Amino acid sequence: MQKISIIIPVYNTGEYLRKCIDSIVAQTYQDIEIIIVDDGSAKLTAEICDELATNDARIRVFHKKNEGVSIARNLGLKKATGDYIGFVDSDDWIDKNMYEVLTSKMLETNADIVFCDARTVWDNGKKEEDTFDEIPSILLNKEELSPGTLCLMAGSACRGLYKSSTVKNVFFPEGLKFSEDRYFNLQAMANAERIYYIKRAFYNRYMRVGSCVNSYHPNGLSTIKKAYSLIEPFIEKTWGKSYLPPYYIQKANLYLAMLYGVFMSDKTLWGKYCDIKSIASNNDVKTLLERVAIKDIRFKLIMHQRYVLLFLLLLAHNVINNIKR
């Protein structure tokens, strides 16, 4: 039986961690080791980590100073002894048969990586399926990955199960608040010969207030620039220039998400307007939008420097979304 090492980076998620670990301990596939990397959490969370380890011999805890999720995951990779590797974030949880199904597909198809779908769960209980609309469940050789499919699959590492040999020399880039999973997956997929995608949601992503995804990132522009300074050269070197256009669009949408993220800050409306204008007038953003030529009213407002109209449009969208939630 193949052993799975499941790596969970933890930083001050407190009681959320219990639900996460309970969902892993209860897996129908039992040959697992659970590697909790406490990334310098406060006392409450650190104590919960140790308490959980006393309840199940498969749980190993490593305490370290706070250095970010990438370094925590990289430490987990170094400590892993399993044949397969999986990742779960400490405020999320997984369906009880996730790893049984993914392992079965790994063995059945002789894949090096198996990806599945996820579902986003909001604070109010609303659920949203996160799937790859363009493709069905499918086994692909590395050469069969189209630019669009590569871009789709190279997302969250938590949706994947990886052969340890496939990620032996793969790492998460340090110092990034987001897109670190994307670079990790691109490296892993470059090493893989066969990749299987199963169109079923097993991973539950909790969209809580204060989570990294659901937060304001004041240094977002520099983070995006740093992330894609790694991603784009790697894609061009590994797959060629023809694989880059989907990433230009993805990068443009990250800039757009940053604009919406401004409304999660505690600044005044004037402060938020100034931030939106600063982002929208950035030369990197404008250069990228000229390249992708997306027909979107928000992008057109940026290109024509209609910052007040852009702000009002984004504000209205934010108000409507808050009402729906």
Side-chain angles (χ1 to χ4, degrees):
M1 199 171 189
Q2 306 297 306
K3 184 168 81 171
I4 303 174
S5 296
I6 304 166
I7 299 167
I8 306 103
V10 177
Y11 180 67
N12 288 342
T13 43
E15 293 295 332
Y16 294 109
L17 180 60
R18 295 185 189 277
K19 183 174 183 177
C20 171
I21 298 299
D22 285 348
S23 74
I24 300 172
V25 168
Q27 287 293 293
T28 54
Y29 192 92
Q30 288 286 294
D31 193 3
I32 59 177
E33 67 171 355
I34 303 168
I35 300 174
I36 297 176
V37 182
D38 169 27
D39 189 35
S41 298
K43 184 178 179 182
L44 172 63
T45 298
E47 288 179 347
I48 291 174
C49 291
D50 291 334
E51 175 196 330
L52 290 167
T54 64
N55 296 332
D56 195 309
R58 297 172 299 173
I59 299 176
R60 302 161 63 199
V61 177
F62 299 92
H63 297 283
K64 59 181 289 299
K65 67 179 182 180
N66 179 242
E67 296 175 289
V69 65
S70 289
I71 294 179
R73 283 175 169 174
N74 289 338
L75 175 60
L77 285 166
K78 291 176 183 176
K79 299 296 184 181
T81 63
D83 304 287
Y84 301 152
I85 303 290
F87 300 93
V88 179
D89 286 341
S90 60
D91 49 359
D92 298 337
W93 65 94
I94 57 178
D95 290 356
K96 66 180 182 180
N97 62 337
M98 174 171 169
Y99 285 118
E100 180 180 9
V101 175
L102 267 58
T103 300
S104 175
K105 288 298 181 183
M106 185 85 82
L107 294 170
E108 176 188 324
T109 62
N110 194 28
D112 301 298
I113 304 172
V114 176
F115 290 116
C116 68
D117 285 341
R119 67 179 63 87
T120 300
V121 182
W122 301 88
D123 274 324
N124 63 2
K126 177 186 173 184
K127 298 179 180 180
E128 182 179 344
E129 296 291 313
D130 182 5
T131 187
F132 305 148
D133 292 328
E134 290 82 353
I135 53 175
S137 296
I138 192 171
L139 176 68
L140 294 169
N141 293 325
K142 183 166 63 177
E143 295 77 15
E144 296 173 321
L145 288 169
S146 68
T149 300
L150 177 68
C151 188
L152 281 173
M153 286 187 172
S156 170
C158 294
R159 297 166 70 144
L161 183 65
Y162 309 81
K163 282 185 179 177
S164 296
S165 56
T166 302
V167 294
K168 184 177 181 181
N169 297 310
V170 173
F171 64 94
F172 290 90
E174 300 175 9
L176 294 181
K177 287 288 186 181
F178 44 85
S179 292
E180 70 279 1
D181 285 31
R182 193 165 305 284
Y183 187 60
F184 175 87
N185 269 330
L186 286 168
Q187 294 173 87
M189 293 166 77
N191 290 343
E193 292 300 323
R194 289 166 298 279
I195 301 163
Y196 186 80
Y197 163 59
I198 179 169
K199 204 174 190 65
R200 289 174 60 187
F202 295 103
Y203 190 89
N204 298 278
R205 183 187 299 113
Y206 182 36
M207 196 63 68
R208 64 181 174 89
V209 174
S211 65
C212 180
V213 175
N214 204 23
S215 299
Y216 169 58
H217 297 285
N219 298 318
L221 277 174
S222 60
T223 300
I224 293 173
K225 187 174 182 179
K226 180 179 178 181
Y228 282 81
S229 71
L230 296 172
I231 289 170
E232 290 176 4
F234 187 83
I235 291 170
E236 184 173 349
K237 179 181 177 181
T238 309
W239 285 279
K241 286 186 177 181
S242 63
Y243 278 73
L244 286 172
Y247 281 88
Y248 297 148
I249 296 172
Q250 185 179 74
K251 188 176 177 182
N253 285 323
L254 275 176
Y255 284 133
L256 190 61
M258 270 194 63
L259 292 172
Y260 284 110
V262 168
F263 290 99
M264 297 180 193
S265 75
D266 57 3
K267 294 185 178 182
T268 64
L269 282 179
W270 174 250
K272 291 174 181 177
Y273 167 75
C274 290
D275 279 355
I276 284 173
K277 181 179 179 181
S278 176
I279 295 168
S281 60
N282 183 275
N283 286 333
D284 287 343
V285 175
K286 289 187 174 182
T287 300
L288 179 66
L289 294 185
E290 288 174 352
R291 174 182 284 168
V292 298
I294 300 174
K295 294 181 179 180
D296 185 299
I297 183 62
R298 296 162 297 186
F299 292 155
K300 287 182 179 179
L301 291 174
I302 292 173
M303 294 304 297
H304 290 92
Q305 301 180 29
R306 303 294 179 87
Y307 302 129
V308 173
L309 287 176
L310 175 67
F311 174 76
L312 293 174
L313 181 63
L314 297 176
L315 176 62
H317 184 275
N318 183 68
V319 169
I320 292 170
N321 269 359
N322 286 336
I323 292 172
K324 286 181 179 179
R325 294 175 188 173

